[in-house]
């Protein structure tokens, strides 16, 4: 039996609503990966609900990292998502640097906005600083809004064809220095895709799946978590993109069929068994 993989997951935790650590933890766990969580904040619900509570965990982050280092913990990946301040972005940069070792992946989901609008918690300074964190990533997984911010482009000028999409992917890769998975590609009617560039073998493509129903909260967290789990089981980036795309499609289909409100998030629990068989015997 091969050693279990271990991931440092730096995300917020919502008590209600399927997103962030409430998605990351079960997905990685069912894929046989030890998830070591470093919460950036605790929210009573995700931000799609009115009146949510918010507890900033910044003060605990560096002491937790220090303790992990004292215990000589090693990680196969450092994986970050929603961050609440410039200081938290800096802390993730520090964590990637401190835990870096041969074979360790740094995967950054630069959660900054959607549909052309930055989240209200994201200041211009945070958006600028996120570019620094993106530079420390082995794999970057933005949506089109986040890609526009990182590239200094207007969302309204986003590419509307596959050639332009791949030009954005190339620009995000910084001339092949990092791998990219650009999600939310809608250049084909009735389909949604992920455009990717694999810096390990200099290959690029777009993988499409059917678009089911509507968008749901938490699909980005679900997608990147399955992507990371697949990579840690030895799939190349192309295979990991396909695995994540298929699983999110299946979960969205189930969510739509059951009539789950968008605000509740994507219904993934009933399909986790599919990930539990993914590569665990290899």
């Amino acid at each position: 039996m091969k050693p279990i993989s271990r991931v440092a997951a730096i995300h917020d935790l919502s008590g209600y609503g399927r997103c962030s650590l409430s998605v990351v933890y079960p997905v990685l766990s069912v894929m046989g990966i030890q998830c070591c969580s470093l919460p950036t904040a605790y929210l009573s619900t995700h931000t799609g609900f009115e009146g949510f509570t918010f507890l900033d965990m910044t003060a605990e982050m560096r002491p937790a990292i220090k303790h992990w280092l004292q215990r000589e913990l090693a990680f196969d990946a450092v994986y970050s998502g929603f961050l609440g301040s410039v200081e938290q972005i800096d802390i993730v940069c520090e964590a990637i640097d401190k835990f870096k070792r041969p074979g360790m992946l740094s995967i950054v989901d630069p959660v900054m906005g959607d549909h052309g609008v930055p989240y209200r918690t994201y200041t211009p300074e945070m958006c600028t600083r996120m570019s620094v964190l993106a530079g420390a990533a082995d794999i970057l997984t933005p949506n089109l809004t986040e890609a526009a911010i990182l590239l200094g482009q207007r969302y309204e000028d986003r590419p509307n064809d596959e050639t332009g999409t791949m030009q954005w992917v190339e620009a995000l890769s910084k001339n092949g220095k990092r791998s990219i998975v650009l999600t939310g590609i809608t250049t084909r009617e009735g389909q949604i895709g992920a455009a990717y560039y694999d810096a390990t073998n200099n290959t690029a493509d777009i993988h499409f799946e059917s678009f089911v129903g509507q968008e749901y909260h938490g699909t980005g967290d679900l997608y990147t978590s399955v992507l990371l789990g697949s990579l840690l089981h030895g799939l190349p980036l192309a295979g990991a993109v396909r695995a994540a795309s298929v699983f999110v499609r299946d979960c969205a289909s189930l969510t739509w069929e059951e009539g789950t409100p968008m605000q509740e998030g994507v219904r993934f629990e009933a399909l986790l068994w599919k990930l539990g068989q993914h590569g665990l015997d290899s």
Side-chain angles (χ1 to χ4, degrees):
M1 182 182 296
K2 67 179 182 180
I4 190 169
S5 295
R6 182 185 293 151
V7 171
I10 310 176
H11 296 251
D12 65 291
L13 173 62
S14 293
Y16 186 82
R18 299 176 177 96
C19 67
S20 304
L21 281 175
S22 62
V23 171
V24 175
Y25 217 107
V27 166
L28 292 180
S29 296
V30 80
M31 296 181 81
I33 296 164
Q34 183 182 2
C35 181
C36 303
S37 56
L38 183 61
T40 60
Y42 173 77
L43 292 75
S44 55
T45 69
H46 67 62
T47 57
F49 291 88
E50 292 293 329
F52 59 87
T53 67
F54 182 91
L55 176 63
D56 188 337
M57 299 290 285
T58 302
E60 295 297 321
M61 293 176 69
R62 283 194 175 95
I65 291 169
K66 180 179 179 181
H67 187 226
W68 284 352
L69 291 167
Q70 289 171 342
R71 302 305 304 172
E72 298 183 347
L73 296 184
F75 298 98
D76 296 283
V78 173
Y79 167 28
S80 70
F82 178 81
L83 302 171
S85 65
V86 170
E87 185 177 3
Q88 288 191 352
I89 295 172
D90 290 342
I91 290 171
V92 178
C93 289
E94 294 167 14
I96 291 172
D97 180 64
K98 291 177 186 296
F99 289 113
K100 197 69 178 177
R101 63 186 180 92
M104 191 204 85
L105 286 176
S106 52
I107 183 163
V108 173
D109 187 0
V111 183
M112 293 187 285
D114 208 352
H115 300 294
V117 181
Y119 296 130
R120 61 179 180 269
T121 57
Y122 258 79
T123 64
E125 184 182 7
M126 288 179 66
C127 292
T128 299
R129 196 62 182 164
M130 182 59 77
S131 296
V132 177
L133 176 55
D138 296 313
I139 304 172
L140 188 68
T141 63
N143 61 30
L144 284 166
T145 299
E146 293 148 0
I149 293 171
L150 291 169
L151 292 173
Q153 301 285 341
R154 296 194 320 149
Y155 178 75
E156 293 76 13
D157 296 331
R158 66 192 181 280
N160 56 13
D161 59 22
E162 294 177 22
T163 299
T165 296
M166 296 313 295
Q167 289 173 346
W168 269 32
V169 169
E170 181 182 2
L172 287 163
S173 77
K174 296 292 185 182
N175 296 319
K177 293 180 180 178
R178 61 190 180 208
S179 295
I180 301 295
V181 180
L182 177 58
T183 59
I185 308 303
T186 56
T187 54
R188 298 184 185 179
E189 187 175 356
Q191 295 185 308
I192 189 163
Y196 63 89
Y197 169 76
D198 188 344
T200 66
N201 57 20
N202 194 34
T203 58
D205 203 353
I206 306 177
H207 180 88
F208 285 95
E209 293 290 338
S210 57
F211 179 75
V212 180
Q214 63 179 11
E215 295 182 8
Y216 294 98
H217 287 283
T219 51
D221 301 316
L222 186 63
Y223 188 97
T224 305
S225 298
V226 177
L227 180 87
L228 173 57
S230 300
L231 291 168
L232 291 177
H233 277 294
L235 268 66
L237 186 61
V241 166
R242 181 184 183 281
S245 300
V246 168
F247 187 72
V248 171
R249 179 205 65 196
D250 290 349
C251 291
S253 179
L254 175 64
T255 308
W256 178 255
E257 290 170 4
E258 293 188 345
T260 304
M262 181 187 70
Q263 202 173 36
E264 298 286 320
V266 65
R267 172 98 152 85
F268 68 93
E269 297 90 344
L271 299 181
L272 281 173
W273 63 271
K274 292 187 175 184
L275 300 177
Q277 294 181 352
H278 181 82
L280 298 184
D281 298 326
S282 61

